[in-house]
Amino acid sequence: MSIYREPLYYELAFSFVKPAKQIDLFEKLIKKYSALKAKSFLDMGCGPSPQLLELAKRGYACTGTDLCPDMLAYLVKKAKDKNLTIKTKKTDFTDFISKEKYDFAMMMMGTIGYIDSGKKLLSHLKSVGKCLNPGGLYLIENFRTTRSREHLFSPQTWLVKRKYLTIRVFYKIDIKDRLQGLETETILLEVEDHGKKYLFKQQASIKIFSPLEFLEAIKESKMFDFLGWFNRETLRSLEKPKIGNYTLLRRKL
Ligand SMILES: C[S@@+](CC[C@H](N)C(=O)[O-])C[C@H]1O[C@@H](n2cnc3c(N)ncnc32)[C@H](O)[C@@H]1O
């Protein structure tokens, strides 16, 4: 996945994220739903994790995991520059064992979509379940939850400008296999950095687990209680999962 090897460009391309606001919401969810006082946080597929940087700033113990070493090195450097400590580990989130235990786990920005089979989803849930303290929360920022047409993103493009840097982002999703819920995600970054032009293209297979498939996997893992789908802005509990919901699970006590 080539774009993830360009952490600075990736971070700027997706810099519409408001981490302080997100962490305020996470703290509200923890207060309401966690059976323990969350002190340690794990971000899987963390990328440049503005969320961990914000959490570390608030004094929490933070660990980020990713398959891409460039992302992890970038995150460590950013933390160091801000006098913060964030631990990192190169780990595949579909199957991992962690000696450390955490109070809160998260997977942001639709990253869950890269888990492209039921077998991997189950293995992922078991891995997360084993490294979470009982009563701790697992929050998934879930972009794709149903396969109906209105839940598909239409192609999007946006422009990010900094002093010597311009990034034009193209994002699109095409249906690959409707029955299996498989799609192809294409991200294109056209970068102009100090007058030099670069083009980065990434295509990945992603999967939409229907709400029923997802709930079945949670049940089969025997690790979590399902707490609900929540609106990302208001934290209102949703009857049906919408695009960009927070899916909340709690490690069984
Ligand atoms: C959509 S980005 C999200 C990055 C960050 N969490 C955010 O919110 O911006 C997905 C990240 O997951 C990582 N990734 C993809 N597949 C992975 C896997 N199987 N195990 C661990 N990390 C993975 C990528 O390297 C990338 O950094």
Side-chain angles (χ1 to χ4, degrees):
M1 295 195 197
S2 68
I3 284 167
Y4 299 145
R5 302 206 57 201
E6 302 294 334
L8 171 68
Y9 300 151
Y10 169 83
E11 184 185 42
L12 287 171
F14 293 87
S15 54
F16 46 77
V17 169
K18 304 265 178 294
K21 211 172 143 198
Q22 287 178 316
I23 302 308
D24 286 347
L25 296 176
F26 293 4
E27 287 179 332
K28 277 190 188 158
L29 287 171
I30 288 165
K31 214 168 173 189
K32 189 157 179 197
Y33 295 104
S34 178
L36 44 82
K37 199 166 184 288
K39 291 182 185 149
S40 53
F41 287 71
L42 170 69
D43 186 3
M44 295 165 288
C46 61
S49 196
Q51 295 82 11
L52 283 183
L53 287 164
E54 178 63 28
L55 284 160
K57 200 170 102 187
R58 296 187 191 194
Y60 296 108
C62 293
T63 302
T65 63
D66 204 290
L67 259 189
C68 179
D70 308 84
M71 282 292 191
L72 297 175
Y74 184 79
L75 177 58
V76 168
K77 178 163 185 333
K78 281 207 93 164
K80 212 171 156 199
D81 289 348
K82 291 172 190 278
N83 248 331
L84 300 169
T85 306
I86 294 179
K87 282 194 209 169
T88 57
K89 283 182 205 159
K90 184 172 178 284
T91 304
D92 185 333
F93 53 58
T94 59
D95 189 9
F96 65 94
I97 297 171
S98 166
K99 278 188 200 148
E100 268 183 71
K101 297 259 187 266
Y102 306 94
D103 301 328
F104 185 100
M106 61 181 148
M107 188 174 262
M108 303 300 292
M109 195 67 100
T111 303
I112 190 92
Y114 293 134
I115 299 177
D116 61 0
S117 74
K119 202 173 153 197
K120 286 187 199 165
L121 179 62
L122 189 59
S123 159
H124 165 73
L125 289 171
K126 286 185 176 169
S127 298
V128 183
K130 282 180 199 154
C131 77
L132 260 185
N133 286 316
L137 299 181
Y138 177 23
L139 179 143
I140 303 165
E141 187 175 31
N142 204 343
F143 282 154
R144 290 169 282 269
T145 41
T146 66
R147 292 172 194 165
S148 62
R149 190 169 282 280
E150 74 267 24
H151 280 265
L152 270 180
F153 287 116
S154 46
Q156 296 174 43
T157 178
W158 63 94
L159 191 69
V160 179
K161 279 187 168 189
R162 296 292 183 270
K163 211 169 178 188
Y164 299 107
L165 192 62
T166 308
I167 304 179
R168 162 74 60 190
V169 188
F170 298 89
Y171 186 92
K172 94 180 161 107
I173 286 176
D174 295 299
I175 294 171
K176 193 169 156 188
D177 182 331
R178 205 177 279 276
L179 198 66
Q180 304 268 344
L182 289 173
E183 299 175 341
T184 304
E185 176 195 63
T186 307
I187 310 175
L188 198 74
L189 302 186
E190 275 177 11
V191 177
E192 187 168 344
D193 189 349
H194 288 80
K196 285 194 175 173
K197 292 188 178 177
Y198 308 93
L199 184 68
F200 302 98
K201 185 177 177 184
Q202 173 170 301
Q203 277 196 318
S205 182
I206 54 172
K207 178 161 165 72
I208 303 178
F209 289 96
S210 74
L212 279 182
E213 283 172 316
F214 195 71
L215 293 173
E216 267 307 306
I218 290 164
K219 205 168 146 194
E220 202 180 334
S221 77
K222 299 191 175 81
M223 292 275 181
F224 294 100
D225 293 316
F226 174 75
L227 301 179
W229 291 287
F230 295 85
N231 179 297
R232 276 188 304 173
E233 311 292 324
T234 61
L235 294 189
R236 206 168 321 116
S237 174
L238 302 165
E239 222 168 278
K240 288 183 192 159
K242 295 234 166 75
I243 274 191
N245 67 80
Y246 284 152
T247 305
L248 199 62
L249 314 181
R250 184 172 51 216
R251 176 72 169 84
K252 280 185 187 295
L253 288 165

